[in-house]
């Protein structure tokens, strides 16, 4: 009899973690944090661009994940995908908030220019879930729109304005990209 594949072991480990989180096991939340916090922080930081804000959003995401874990449906996707979406949505909500926008305008110029020179966070490694390979299979127009919508925190209207495209074109390309990605995930 052969040993189970690493993918099978990872899936079984994830299923056990999901069950423990559903059972409100606080020890499981510690394991969850250790396993996913760095990757989630990387996604959040890429959107909010400020370390302090990213830390706050990560904390908020962890609390939201803990309190809303009952809404996670494993049949709709992997745990990582669900928690990444929760975190990404909170980060986008943060940068769209009036408080954040007003605070961003009042920073000294030297702070904002220094932030532009910072290297991108390297802790987030999408290739371990195949995200990088999947987005490579999109055509360049679709990939650009997915990058702006998903990682840039742009709305479809903002993408249309940024790329100087009609809103309908952005929506069509986004929808087509989602269809391609959903087929690749399955």
């Amino acid at each position: 009899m052969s040993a189970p594949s690493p993918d099978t072991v990872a899936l079984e480990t994830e299923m056990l973690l999901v069950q423990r989180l559903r059972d409100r096991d606080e020890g499981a939340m510690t394991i969850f944090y250790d396993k996913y916090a760095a990757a989630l922080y990387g996604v959040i930081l890429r959107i909010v661009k400020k370390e302090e804000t990213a830390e706050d959003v990560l904390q908020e995401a962890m609390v939201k994940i803990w309190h809303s874990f009952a809404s996670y449906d494993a049949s709709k996707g992997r745990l990582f995908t669900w928690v990444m979406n929760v975190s990404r949505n909170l980060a986008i909500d943060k940068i769209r908030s009036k408080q954040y926008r007003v605070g961003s305008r009042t920073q000294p110029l030297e702070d904002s220019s220094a932030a532009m020179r910072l290297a991108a966070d390297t802790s987030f490694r999408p290739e371990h879930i195949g995200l990088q390979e999947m987005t490579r299979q999109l055509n360049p127009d679709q990939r650009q729109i997915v990058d702006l919508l998903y990682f840039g925190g742009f709305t479809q209207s903002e993408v249309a304005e940024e790329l100087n495209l009609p809103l309908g074109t952005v929506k069509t390309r986004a929808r087509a990209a989602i269809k391609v990605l959903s087929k690749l995930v399955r």
Side-chain angles (χ1 to χ4, degrees):
M1 186 167 161
S2 65
S5 73
D7 288 339
T8 302
V9 172
L11 187 58
E12 289 173 358
T13 303
E14 183 176 296
M15 289 170 41
L16 179 61
L17 180 61
V18 167
Q19 187 55 52
R20 287 181 63 192
L21 288 168
R22 286 193 194 287
D23 293 341
R24 311 299 290 162
D25 180 345
E26 291 179 12
M29 192 62 187
T30 301
I31 293 167
F32 171 84
Y33 183 88
D34 292 343
K35 185 173 182 175
Y36 294 110
L40 297 177
Y41 177 79
V43 169
I44 294 166
L45 182 60
R46 189 169 172 188
I47 294 169
V48 301
K49 312 273 192 275
K50 297 177 189 169
E51 290 183 12
E52 185 177 308
T53 304
E55 291 167 4
D56 290 344
V57 172
L58 177 62
Q59 177 65 30
E60 188 179 336
M62 290 296 167
V63 170
K64 183 170 185 167
I65 289 164
W66 175 253
H67 288 296
S68 65
F69 199 80
S71 68
Y72 168 63
D73 183 355
S75 69
K76 292 183 179 178
R78 301 279 309 263
L79 176 61
F80 182 79
T81 305
W82 181 73
V83 298
M84 187 169 61
N85 283 330
V86 169
S87 301
R88 181 183 64 85
N89 290 342
L90 286 172
I92 291 168
D93 289 347
K94 177 59 97 177
I95 65 172
R96 288 183 182 163
S97 73
K98 184 174 183 177
Q99 178 186 4
Y100 179 86
R101 285 183 280 156
V102 169
S104 295
R105 288 187 197 135
T106 61
Q107 289 183 352
L109 288 176
E110 57 274 1
D111 288 350
S112 61
S113 64
M116 294 299 192
R117 290 189 299 257
L118 291 176
D121 185 66
T122 58
S123 63
F124 176 61
R125 307 270 322 231
E127 60 272 9
H128 80 279
I129 60 168
L131 185 61
Q132 191 174 38
E133 290 78 21
M134 284 186 238
T135 58
R136 283 186 194 141
Q137 295 181 36
L138 296 173
N139 72 44
D141 292 336
Q142 291 172 338
R143 188 176 327 124
Q144 183 179 34
I145 287 174
V146 167
D147 285 344
L148 290 173
L149 288 171
Y150 196 77
F151 290 111
F154 284 61
T155 64
Q156 289 179 335
S157 297
E158 291 167 339
V159 170
E161 186 177 319
E162 177 75 18
L163 300 177
N164 198 23
L165 293 171
L167 180 59
T169 300
V170 171
K171 290 180 177 187
T172 300
R173 289 180 184 171
R175 194 173 320 117
I178 290 168
K179 284 182 182 180
V180 169
L181 290 173
S182 69
K183 288 178 185 174
L184 295 172
V185 170
R186 290 181 191 152

